[in-house]
Amino acid sequence: MTVTPTSPATGAGIGPGRRRARKAPSTEDADVLRSVSRRVLWLSAAIVDAANRGRPNSSGVKVGGHQASSASMVDIMVALSFHALRHSDRVSVKPHASPVLHAINYLLGDLDPAYLTTLRAKAGCRAIPAG
């Protein structure tokens, strides 16, 4: 992955807060990112499973969470979150894949582990993340 100075992913050339283009990750960094991706994929699937099977549900209606939507963006979000973006940067995430964002926020220390089992629960993790 090569990010050029005009790439929207870098923010270069956009307003006063622009930054320098990042180089593609080294082979060693790419291996670490792949390892993180596997962990995020597992966590996002566990979040969906906890929402649908891990808490009481007298109606039997599934809470939701789309594992394929999450899986389709894991590598992209991991590369952005752990290689390209600054902590203050924000990314819009499709609601069906919000478990990926929640998993990443957990790994970054920005989400208490108690929330990992609360997708779409009252006062839990939302499908449309805020903040």
Side-chain angles (χ1 to χ4, degrees), residues 60-85:
V61 175
K62 296 225 177 214
V63 171
H66 298 265
Q67 292 174 342
S69 292
S70 292
S72 72
M73 63 179 277
V74 167
D75 291 334
I76 294 167
M77 287 298 294
V78 166
L80 287 171
S81 300
F82 293 91
H83 180 71
L85 300 176

Side-chain angles (χ1 to χ4, degrees), residues 39-102:
R39 187 158 184 205
V40 169
L41 181 60
W42 186 91
L43 282 168
S44 65
I47 288 168
V48 172
D49 184 63
N52 288 307
R53 298 186 325 144
R55 56 179 186 247
N57 181 355
S58 59
S59 72
V61 175
K62 296 225 177 214
V63 171
H66 298 265
Q67 292 174 342
S69 292
S70 292
S72 72
M73 63 179 277
V74 167
D75 291 334
I76 294 167
M77 287 298 294
V78 166
L80 287 171
S81 300
F82 293 91
H83 180 71
L85 300 176
R86 296 173 295 194
H87 189 72
S88 61
D89 290 338
R90 296 290 177 252
V91 174
S92 180
V93 175
K94 55 186 177 180
H96 287 134
S98 65
V100 170
L101 184 61
H102 297 313

